Amino acid sequence: MSDALQQEQLVKEIPPKAADLSAWYTAVCLKAELVSYSPVRGCVVLRPAGFGMWENLQKHLDERFKATGHENAYFPLLIPESLLTKEAEHVEGFAPEVAWVTEGGQEKLEERLAIRPTSEVIIGVMYAKWIQSHRDLPILINQWANVLRWEKATRPFLRTMEFLWQEGHTAHATAAEAREETERMLDVYQDFAENVAAIPVYAGAKSASERFPGAVETFSIEALMPDGKALQSATSHDLGQNFSKAYDITFADANQQIQHVYTTSWGMSWRMLGAVIMTHGDDRGLRIPPKLAPIEAVFVPIVRGGDTSTVEKAHELAKGLRGAGYRVRVDDRDYTPGWKYSEWEMRGVPLRIEIGPRDLESGSVTVVRRDKSKGEDGAKTSVPFGELPAKLRELLDAVHDSMYAQAKAFLESHTFVVSDRDEFFTKCRERAGMIDIAWCGRPECEAEVKTATSATTRNTRALQTPGAKCVACGEPATVNAYFAQSY
RNA sequence: CGGGGCGUAGCUCAGCUUGGUAGAGCGCUUCGUUUGGGACGAAGAAGUCGCAGGUUCAAAUCCUGUCGCCCCGACCA
């Protein structure tokens, strides 16, 4: 490594992001203490720094769920085998990755119990008991839970055997209502991704082969990672009457007819945090979007000649900011200021507040933005003590906006509207980004593209040019689709 | 689940080819001096060499098995 490169590499043991995204990603997850590998294969410990991000994700999503009329509940972790096997497609889809409990205490169980890979089944069974009349509908419930899928290869956040997520499960009287709900929650996810996680996404419908097992239609939001691979960040499923028929969820309608309900399910997992890490991080480490940051601003007091008045002032200002609703911390540990700067940058704290003798004298603090590089215009701002509470809000919003703008610029510069077949295949193979084409929608066509390029449809939307032919195969196109290799 | 790589101190790794006293840097502890971009000095602590067998007078080193992790594929959120 050249001297220049060595100097650039500010954070020890974090390799440059552009050179090897995988190595960078793993190093950041570990060094920023988001996760730790555990003695259990494929399972990670979510450490306080990581859990803090999860809590903020929960808070923002949950308030959106509540605002759209949903309530939280909790269902059992274990699902009897006989119940699981009723919806054929669903079972087939999940069978390879279900873990089973076969013994309890000293006894061998007469019936195996599945550890939930998802909860459509157990929730469907309960809904069948609870729903009698059209007056009982809709049911709008969400649960925050862990699930387990027996994965072969795992990576922190992106794929672990046990993971945290939320799963919403709703039941409706009509197909139209269920579809409306499915699309509403997709909008919620898109809103969350863009306005909380600062990640622009493409929202749309999944192709048949990418659909959730047992769903009539699956929608997703898809984000683009720096290596040109897409990351499915949340899904929303219209389950039609597939589950209500399998689990006999019926109600008497206003005309005294027995009808099967229409159900939906929708989920976002801690995988979203993986998207946040990869999208926003840089060579100095993590950059957490302010709304997800466990610590929004960290005070670094500079002590000179044993005079700790800057430390006292930092605590005083921090107290005031907490009172104003901010999540702040004072780093009064016995390390040098320079060490602390690097440390908190690596951990991704959006704002650093320096307070040294010079600041004390001028009655102000120096606020440094994590989203800007060193020496960049606007990276440092001097803020008088009294203006700190108001100014902090402004700066945090600015950080969010600039992070979103950067991610948006990346997505847009790596989205290609392609109408030439060769170019389409080349771009897919090269992992160029989101490749937008007019597409026929045929599974055989998608399979051919996948075999040739490893890319698949991420999601689809209405055909943009009426009468267009499929760019991949030449048949009449029915939709526009984003193709990309995916995580 | 296929292909490749790696498990030695908290971290990054050397030592293994050719068996013979357990190593370095960083970090950690104590004391002192320091503190506006990863401070300096002195003293100190720390490893059943992933685990289990085997070969040998003797194994971190050779052999077999096993577990785990990383990367690339296939599969999935």
Side-chain angles (χ1 to χ4, degrees), chain A residues 3 41 52 74 76 232 243 249 267 287 296 329 344 347 352 398 454 469:
Chain A
D3 286 352
R41 185 183 82 78
Y74 187 79
Q232 178 174 303
F243 280 84
I249 313 172
R287 295 198 310 171
E296 293 171 300
R329 175 156 163 185
W344 292 111
R347 290 168 175 271
R352 174 175 79 238
S454 302
K469 298 275 193 244

Side-chain angles (χ1 to χ4, degrees), chain A residues 169-468:
Chain A
H169 296 268
T170 68
H172 307 265
T174 66
E177 271 181 51
R179 176 54 64 95
E180 194 186 328
E181 167 76 4
T182 308
E183 292 176 354
R184 178 183 303 120
M185 299 324 286
L186 186 70
D187 286 346
V188 164
Y189 288 138
Q190 179 163 15
D191 174 54
F192 171 87
E194 299 185 344
N195 293 312
V196 178
I199 297 177
V201 293
Y202 291 133
K206 282 293 196 184
S207 69
S209 65
E210 297 275 325
R211 202 173 279 153
F212 179 75
V216 169
E217 189 87 86
T218 288
F219 297 87
S220 73
I221 56 170
E222 305 276 338
L224 185 63
M225 298 299 105
D227 59 356
K229 287 167 81 173
L231 185 71
Q232 178 174 303
S233 306
T235 48
S236 185
H237 314 290
D238 180 350
L239 304 174
Q241 292 177 309
N242 291 346
F243 280 84
S244 65
K245 284 181 175 164
Y247 294 94
D248 209 26
I249 313 172
T250 59
F251 68 101
D253 68 16
N255 303 317
Q256 302 186 31
Q257 299 296 306
I258 301 295
Q259 305 267 12
H260 284 94
V261 301
Y262 294 81
T263 62
T264 80
S265 69
W266 27 274
M268 176 181 281
S269 76
W270 72 16
R271 183 178 232 207
M272 185 75 205
L273 299 183
V276 166
I277 296 159
M278 274 199 281
T279 299
H280 298 304
D282 64 16
D283 286 354
R284 288 185 284 167
L286 204 54
R287 295 198 310 171
I288 310 177
K291 287 171 191 164
L292 290 180
I295 301 172
E296 293 171 300
V298 62
F299 282 88
V300 178
I302 291 126
V303 176
R304 196 184 287 283
D307 176 6
T308 57
S309 53
T310 52
V311 178
E312 284 148 29
K313 188 66 187 177
H315 279 291
E316 179 195 321
L317 291 169
K319 194 176 174 191
L321 289 174
R322 284 192 199 102
Y326 289 105
R327 302 184 294 276
V328 297
R329 175 156 163 185
V330 177
D331 187 356
D332 54 8
R333 294 175 298 170
D334 185 21
Y335 291 106
T336 62
W339 189 92
K340 291 177 186 175
Y341 297 167
S342 303
E343 168 83 357
W344 292 111
E345 280 167 5
M346 190 266 292
R347 290 168 175 271
V349 175
L351 297 176
R352 174 175 79 238
I353 306 176
E354 303 175 4
I355 174 162
R358 289 206 297 271
D359 299 297
L360 214 53
E361 210 166 295
S362 67
S364 61
V365 293
T366 305
V367 185
V368 184
R369 290 170 57 164
R370 175 65 177 89
D371 60 306
K372 302 236 179 207
S373 41
K374 221 191 300 182
E376 192 180 337
D377 214 30
K380 285 195 179 191
T381 319
S382 188
V383 180
F385 295 152
E387 294 173 23
L388 200 49
K391 189 68 182 174
L392 225 48
R393 177 84 281 130
E394 199 181 297
L395 284 167
L396 287 168
D397 288 346
V399 171
H400 172 94
D401 291 346
S402 90
M403 287 176 71
Y404 178 75
Q406 286 171 44
K408 178 102 173 162
F410 177 82
L411 177 62
E412 285 174 354
S413 64
H414 290 79
T415 297
F416 301 94
V417 180
V418 171
S419 54
D420 176 72
R421 185 175 192 275
D422 287 344
E423 187 188 355
F424 169 64
F425 276 82
T426 304
K427 282 219 157 38
C428 283
R429 230 179 262 120
E430 284 174 352
R431 216 180 264 178
M434 294 283 198
I435 320 301
D436 181 10
I437 63 164
W439 184 51
C440 62
R442 296 180 309 120
E444 313 85 73
C445 175
E446 185 175 21
E448 276 172 38
V449 173
K450 184 175 181 181
T451 305
T453 69
S454 302
T456 52
T457 56
R458 298 332 302 153
N459 57 34
T460 68
R461 62 203 196 288
L463 186 61
Q464 304 294 296
T465 313

Side-chain angles (χ1 to χ4, degrees), chain A residues 126-173:
Chain A
M126 296 314 296
Y127 282 8
K129 289 177 186 263
W130 296 343
I131 298 167
Q132 311 289 329
S133 150
H134 64 278
R135 295 187 184 88
D136 298 330
L137 295 172
I139 290 195
L140 306 172
I141 286 179
N142 173 68
Q143 86 165 343
W144 292 94
N146 56 344
V147 289
L148 189 75
R149 298 181 187 178
W150 211 259
E151 298 289 351
K152 292 161 190 163
T154 61
R155 308 184 61 190
F157 297 119
L158 301 177
R159 180 169 300 111
T160 48
M161 297 218 311
E162 181 184 8
F163 59 92
L164 296 181
W165 76 347
Q166 58 69 216
E167 46 180 328
H169 296 268
T170 68
H172 307 265

